[in-house]
Amino acid sequence: MRVVLTGGAGFIGSHLCDRLLADGAHVLCVDNLLTGRADNLAHISDPRFEFRRHDITTPIEVAGPVDYVLHFASAASPVDYLTHPIKTLKAGALGTWITLGLAKAKGARFLLASTSEVYGDPEVSPQPETYWGNVNPIGPRGCYDEAKRFAEAITMAYHRYHGLNTAIVRVFNTYGPRMRPDDGRVVPTLLTQAMRGEPLTVYGDGSQTRSFCYITDLIEGIVRLVRSDIHDPVNLGNPEEITVLEFARRVTAITGSRSEIVFRPLPQDDPARRRPDITRAKALLGWEPRVPLEEGLKRTLEWFAARVGSRA
Ligand code: UDP
């Protein structure tokens, strides 16, 4: 089995590399290292693994047979995609078009890493795959949301028009080791603040909700979807919903930090709630998350503690 994985040096991508190699696959990992890090792959010394530094918004040539093309390349944290809005749009648009072309040329199954952001600021909760979303196309998050919505549309067009074997995973908030401490997302930000004894920054009044899935659970779901013959989008995420303020309190408890919680302005178009309906993943993949938030946060904290300086 040979896999081409774009974004393989990123948080999710690097965990996927590990899992695919453990399952016996040959992996060609493609990444331009815009938001991914070579460090995430430094532990891999496997003759079945190849890394190519390449920007997937430009054409790529791959020699030999390919069984799966998995497109994970994109900035994914709000801070990252606000810093790189045009690169984000290109990764979702041109990057998806180019990787679909590669899958078509090789007769490979294609999997698109999409996102819960296609639901925008949802009026329906929990969000089932049948919900079309509530997205502001011209707002600051539009560069990511619309890139992924276009990516889903072109994936379905290749499936319907060319008969390409495609899959779409809608990834909800996921956390774990290898997130960049400075990526701006709530999990690495609050964990590092707590470890350093700095105030925990809660945006808005903290009443907005998220549902956090531990990385190993997500990877298991992705692998099941890759191996399936499902074409319709599938949500993967943890349905346990929590407010951001409550999340900050849990971080303080787990780290034993004496950091205070401070409130900062809510970013524009920040979704008020987000919770996956995982009925489809349960029924079609026999998948559901196993790692509770406490446990996942402890594992993540251990990893960050070994790398992030502490002033607490
Ligand atoms: N957030 C926060 N403090 C931070 C970073 C994020 O309160 O330092 C909030 C953010 O406003 C959002 C939630 O945490 O409501 C999750 O944000 P994140 O950037 O992790 O991802 P999102 O789910 O918005 O894509």
Side-chain angles (χ1 to χ4, degrees):
M1 181 174 94
R2 184 154 180 248
V3 181
V4 174
L5 168 63
T6 73
F11 161 51
I12 295 175
S14 65
H15 285 281
L16 196 49
C17 280
D18 288 343
R19 172 62 188 268
L20 293 167
L21 290 167
D23 287 353
H26 290 251
V27 178
L28 170 58
C29 169
V30 180
D31 204 299
N32 66 351
L33 302 181
L34 178 70
T35 58
R37 292 186 306 182
D39 251 16
N40 287 340
L41 304 168
H43 61 284
I44 302 177
S45 63
D46 191 314
R48 285 181 284 106
F49 181 75
E50 187 190 335
F51 177 77
R52 198 185 302 180
R53 187 165 182 175
H54 176 87
D55 181 341
I56 200 59
T57 64
T58 64
I60 186 165
E61 276 183 41
V62 177
V66 174
D67 303 292
Y68 298 96
V69 175
L70 315 180
H71 182 39
F72 279 73
S74 177
S77 90
V79 166
D80 285 346
Y81 58 71
L82 293 176
T83 309
H84 306 287
I86 295 171
K87 286 186 161 68
T88 302
L89 279 154
K90 284 180 161 182
L94 300 177
T96 307
W97 174 54
I98 283 167
T99 49
L100 280 164
L102 176 65
K104 177 167 162 270
K106 301 291 184 183
R109 175 158 164 85
F110 177 87
L111 180 135
L112 170 70
S114 185
T115 168
S116 55
E117 279 286 316
V118 298
Y119 302 124
D121 188 5
E123 296 143 315
V124 172
S125 202
Q127 295 85 54
E129 290 87 348
T130 48
Y131 178 52
W132 292 353
N134 176 37
V135 172
N136 176 2
I138 57 165
R141 300 171 82 105
C143 61
Y144 184 62
D145 303 8
E146 296 296 0
K148 292 293 189 182
R149 288 169 68 96
F150 173 87
E152 290 200 6
I154 193 172
T155 298
M156 291 311 293
Y158 267 68
H159 172 62
R160 294 196 184 107
Y161 186 78
H162 290 305
L164 191 69
N165 182 359
T166 62
I168 296 172
V169 53
R170 291 185 180 152
V171 178
F172 281 66
N173 294 67
T174 301
Y175 69 100
R178 300 186 195 157
M179 296 186 96
R180 289 196 343 265
D182 64 347
D183 85 358
R185 285 187 276 201
V186 71
V187 175
T189 304
L190 268 53
L191 276 179
T192 49
Q193 287 168 340
M195 282 188 291
R196 291 174 173 152
E198 295 167 2
L200 271 54
T201 51
V202 167
Y203 297 162
D205 61 6
S207 64
Q208 71 273 31
T209 67
R210 292 296 184 272
S211 308
F212 298 101
C213 184
Y214 190 63
I215 183 69
T216 52
D217 283 333
L218 177 77
I219 296 293
E220 178 62 34
I222 290 171
V223 167
R224 287 184 191 208
L225 183 57
V226 168
R227 289 191 190 130
S228 76
D229 55 7
I230 300 167
H231 303 302
D232 288 334
V234 178
N235 287 339
L236 290 180
N238 192 319
E240 195 189 316
E241 187 179 17
I242 180 174
T243 67
V244 168
L245 183 57
E246 176 56 22
F247 177 73
R249 293 197 184 110
R250 299 259 186 109
V251 168
T252 332
I254 279 175
T255 53
S257 166
R258 272 174 297 184
S259 291
E260 53 167 349
I261 291 174
V262 294
F263 295 90
R264 297 281 177 263
L266 189 68
Q268 189 191 331
D269 296 342
D270 198 285
R273 54 195 171 165
R274 195 185 279 153
R275 180 185 180 202
D277 180 330
I278 59 165
T279 310
R280 192 176 283 181
K282 273 187 184 164
L284 301 182
L285 303 174
W287 176 88
E288 63 184 314
R290 307 233 166 264
V291 183
L293 185 58
E294 304 287 319
E295 172 62 26
L297 272 184
K298 277 183 194 153
R299 289 190 214 167
T300 310
L301 177 65
E302 265 173 44
W303 189 86
F304 274 92
R307 283 157 188 86
V308 176
S310 163
R311 287 201 281 110

